[in-house]
Every structure is written in C-alpha cells, then in structure tokens.
Amino acid sequence: MQEKESPTRLRILSILDAAQQEMFGRDIIKASEQSPGLRLQLGVIYVDLNRMEEDRLVSSREMPLEPGLSLPRRKYSITSAGRFELHRK
C-alpha cells in the first residue's frame, strides 16, 4: 500500500477526478501532457492503473473489441476511495 503515495498514482487520481468521466489509459497520458505537473509514461501507467485497481482507488471496465485492435481496451474511473486518497494529501 505504500505505493499510494507515489507522484504517478496521485497524478492519475488527479486527472481522473478532474475529468469526471471514464478515460482510456492513453487519454490519461494525453491529459498529463496538456497540463502542468508530472508527465505520465506509456510503459508505466498501466502497471500503476492495475495496482491502483487492486487497491480499489480506480475501477475499470473492458470495452468491446474494436475492429483492427488485437486487445480489448479498458476505461478507468476514480472510486470514492481514490477521491479520499487524493484529497487526503
């Protein structure tokens, strides 16, 4: 649970909280590039999102497989526990 304190995790929570809607991982990365603060990296974000889901800070749902894609995509949203963690800081 110590990873909750990481700047990457807090940045993800902040972006999801501000968006007030589900987001794909790539959209979270794009949002991090368009605002001041830590820029998120493609290779790291999905590891963090999976761990954050295990910690119940975010939830996700699999979207239907789109033509031309080999893997299904997931949309992520912040949970009430994630908001609590974000605003506790």
Side-chain angles (χ1 to χ4, degrees), residues 13-28:
L13 290 174
S14 177
I15 289 168
L16 288 171
D17 188 49
Q20 297 183 3
Q21 65 181 1
E22 295 176 311
M23 298 178 78
F24 289 114
R26 286 193 180 271
D27 294 330
I28 296 170

Side-chain angles (χ1 to χ4, degrees), residues 2-14:
Q2 68 203 8
E3 293 183 55
K4 284 188 204 178
E5 308 262 336
S6 84
T8 301
R9 290 168 66 111
L10 291 175
R11 179 75 166 144
I12 292 169
L13 290 174
S14 177

Side-chain angles (χ1 to χ4, degrees), residues 16 22 32 53 65 77:
L16 288 171
E22 295 176 311
S32 81
E53 190 164 22
L65 189 60
S77 58

Side-chain angles (χ1 to χ4, degrees), residues 3 8-9 12 44-53:
E3 293 183 55
T8 301
R9 290 168 66 111
I12 292 169
V44 176
I45 190 173
Y46 293 104
V47 172
D48 282 319
L49 284 167
N50 287 332
R51 289 180 181 157
M52 292 169 71
E53 190 164 22

Side-chain angles (χ1 to χ4, degrees), residues 24 27 62-75:
F24 289 114
D27 294 330
E62 191 172 290
M63 303 303 291
L65 189 60
E66 295 177 20
L69 294 179
S70 59
L71 295 173
R73 297 175 72 196
R74 301 192 77 74
K75 280 195 165 186

